[in-house]
Structure formats: C-alpha cells, structure tokens
Amino acid sequence: MRLYAVVAAGGFRRYATYRIETVAGIFTNTVFGFILAYTYAALWDERPQLGGYDMAQALTYVWLGQALLMTCVMMGGGFEDELIERIRTGDIAVDLYRPVDLQLWWLAGDLGRAAFHLMGRGIVPMVFGSLAFDLAMPASPGTWLAFLVAVTLGVVVSFAIRYLVALSAFWLLDGAGAAQMAFLAGMFFSGMLLPLNLFPGLLGEVARALPWSALLQVPADVFLGRHTGWDLVGVYVFQAGWALVLLLAGRLLQSVATRRVVVQGG
C-alpha cells in the first residue's frame, strides 16, 4: 500500500506544478459559477422551492458543481486520455508486465489528482461564491466530514467509469468516441446541468439510480443536509455499491485484455 500512497502523492504533485493552468481553471470555474448562479437565481425567483431546494440551497448547489467539476472529472480529460494513448501505441504491454496492479496504480494517481483539484480549483471558487451570495453552508463539522466521504466515493465511481472507457480502446483502437459519450452522460446524469431532483417522473428515477449521480447530486445533497442518519448510510451504500460493481467490471476487462496482450505477444 505504501507504493500506491507514493503514486497518489505523485499525482497530487504532478497537477500542482501546473500553476498557470490552475489559476486559469479557478478563473473559469468562478466566472461560470456566477453565470449559473444568476441563472438559477432567476429560475428560483419564479419557482421557489423548485426540486425541494430553497434559493440558498440552489445557489450552493451551483458552487458545489463548480468545486467538483474537475474533482470528479465530469467533463473528461483525466487519466483516461493518457491510458487510451498507451493502449493505442502498445506501451500498455510494458505496464501489464510490471509487478504492480494496473487498476490500483491508476486509481492511486487519480485520487492524488482529485485531492489537488478539490483544494486548488474547488475551495477558491466556493469562497468567491459565498462572498457574493447567501449560501447554505453547513454549521456542523460532521456534515463537512460526511461531505468529504461522499466526494471520495464519488471520485472512485468516476475513476471506475473512466477506467472502463479507457479499456475499451483494446477493442475499439481509438477510445475517443467512448470517452465523448461518457463525458456527455456524465454532464447530464451527474446533475451538472440541472439538479436531478428537477427531472420529472421515470427520467428522474432512472437518472438518480445511475452511477453518475454519485459524482455531484449525492455529495451536494449530503452537503445540504438532505441525507442524515440511516439515510446517509444508504447513500454511502449506493455510492460504494456502484464503485464496487464498476471496479470489478474494470478488473474483468483488464484480465481479458491482459490475456489478449499475452497471446498477441507470444
């Protein structure tokens, strides 16, 4: 486990070196946060308590979305691009022969990346949002801790989805199409465009049951105090269940791909 801790720390340091990109990302997240906040304010002014949120909760949801946008990689562009390229060029064969677990290696690096983005591109826009708007910030330290647990589980679910997308390159040769479809699904079904509570009927039930809801909708509702007690345990089980299923699916595909590489190499 020490090796993977080092890999996670390396992932954090890797993204910390891109200072100009981080500043640009903070600026972009903040600008879009203001645009969305004023849009939500106009909508909630016309439809108070829409989706069960009051105005402060709706605005808080906006800034949480900006904080978690890169943390949970809802727009793509994470490790999967590099892994797809390694599969396409055949460099993945070297990775598969290394005495480390491929999935855990990439997961550790992605956790380090997520930790940096939560701190680097999450906290600052949230501070600007809290200065400009009346946000529903938790008063209890326990709620903050529960939120961090939900975010961590959301990052693992996000990783597991993107790992499956990357492994599809073994059969598709170019995983760009699969990555684009995953990006569109992530934007829509995570609640990034609109809270999933606003989706009507069956569409809303399906959207909230899909794994992408674990990336934003679930952590946001935990932050807003909508899940407490056994209900909070239930959403953790939901996130952890999807993480386990998707990670096992990734491990299965990894095993099939490894045998394929070995046969072709032989």
Side-chain angles (χ1 to χ4, degrees), residues 40-48 55:
Y40 272 48
L43 179 59
W44 258 260
D45 188 54
E46 291 293 325
R47 297 283 302 276
M55 177 72 79

Side-chain angles (χ1 to χ4, degrees), residues 3-261:
L3 170 63
Y4 300 111
V6 171
V7 173
F12 186 98
R13 288 195 302 270
R14 175 183 178 183
Y15 284 87
T17 59
Y18 302 116
R19 296 182 178 87
I20 301 299
E21 181 180 343
T22 299
V23 172
I26 291 172
F27 176 79
T28 302
N29 286 142
T30 303
V31 169
F32 275 97
F34 275 101
I35 293 172
L36 289 172
Y38 283 115
T39 302
Y40 272 48
L43 179 59
W44 258 260
D45 188 54
E46 291 293 325
R47 297 283 302 276
Q49 298 298 321
L50 185 62
Y53 296 137
D54 59 26
M55 177 72 79
Q57 290 174 325
L59 294 175
T60 304
Y61 185 95
V62 169
W63 291 101
L64 286 172
Q66 295 306 304
L68 298 181
L69 180 62
M70 285 303 297
T71 303
C72 293
V73 198
M74 284 174 277
M75 293 185 65
F79 78 93
E80 65 273 19
D81 292 341
E82 181 180 351
L83 182 53
I84 287 172
E85 181 63 17
R86 292 189 67 81
I87 294 172
R88 189 187 67 80
T89 60
D91 292 339
I92 191 65
V94 177
D95 300 334
L96 292 172
Y97 281 110
R98 287 174 177 164
V100 295
D101 185 275
L102 184 70
Q103 188 183 57
L104 288 178
W105 175 278
W106 287 101
L107 174 58
D110 199 55
L111 288 173
R113 174 209 57 79
F116 172 77
H117 280 310
L118 182 62
M119 296 172 59
R121 292 182 60 169
I123 294 177
V124 177
M126 197 76 182
V127 169
F128 278 113
S130 65
L131 292 174
F133 301 95
D134 182 19
L135 302 186
M137 306 297 283
S140 168
T143 303
W144 285 96
L145 179 60
F147 169 69
L148 290 177
V149 173
V151 170
T152 302
L153 290 171
V155 170
V156 176
V157 172
S158 171
F159 164 83
I161 294 172
R162 291 177 289 124
Y163 191 70
L164 286 170
V165 169
L167 292 183
S168 70
F170 276 108
W171 292 270
L172 300 177
L173 300 183
D174 184 359
Q180 185 67 20
M181 289 190 292
F183 152 66
L184 293 174
M187 286 292 291
F188 187 77
F189 289 113
S190 67
M192 189 65 207
L193 298 180
L194 278 174
L196 301 183
N197 297 340
L198 273 63
F199 289 16
L202 181 61
L203 175 61
E205 293 179 11
V206 171
R208 288 187 290 271
L210 292 174
W212 290 282
S213 66
L215 278 58
L216 172 57
Q217 185 67 58
V218 170
D221 281 342
V222 170
F223 187 90
L224 294 172
R226 294 168 66 91
H227 298 300
T228 58
W230 285 108
D231 189 35
L232 178 61
V233 175
V235 297
Y236 285 162
V237 170
F238 170 79
Q239 289 181 296
W242 268 120
L244 180 61
V245 168
L246 294 169
L247 287 172
L248 289 176
R251 189 161 291 278
L252 177 62
L253 278 188
Q254 176 184 312
S255 177
V256 173
T258 300
R259 288 198 296 268
R260 181 179 181 182
V261 170

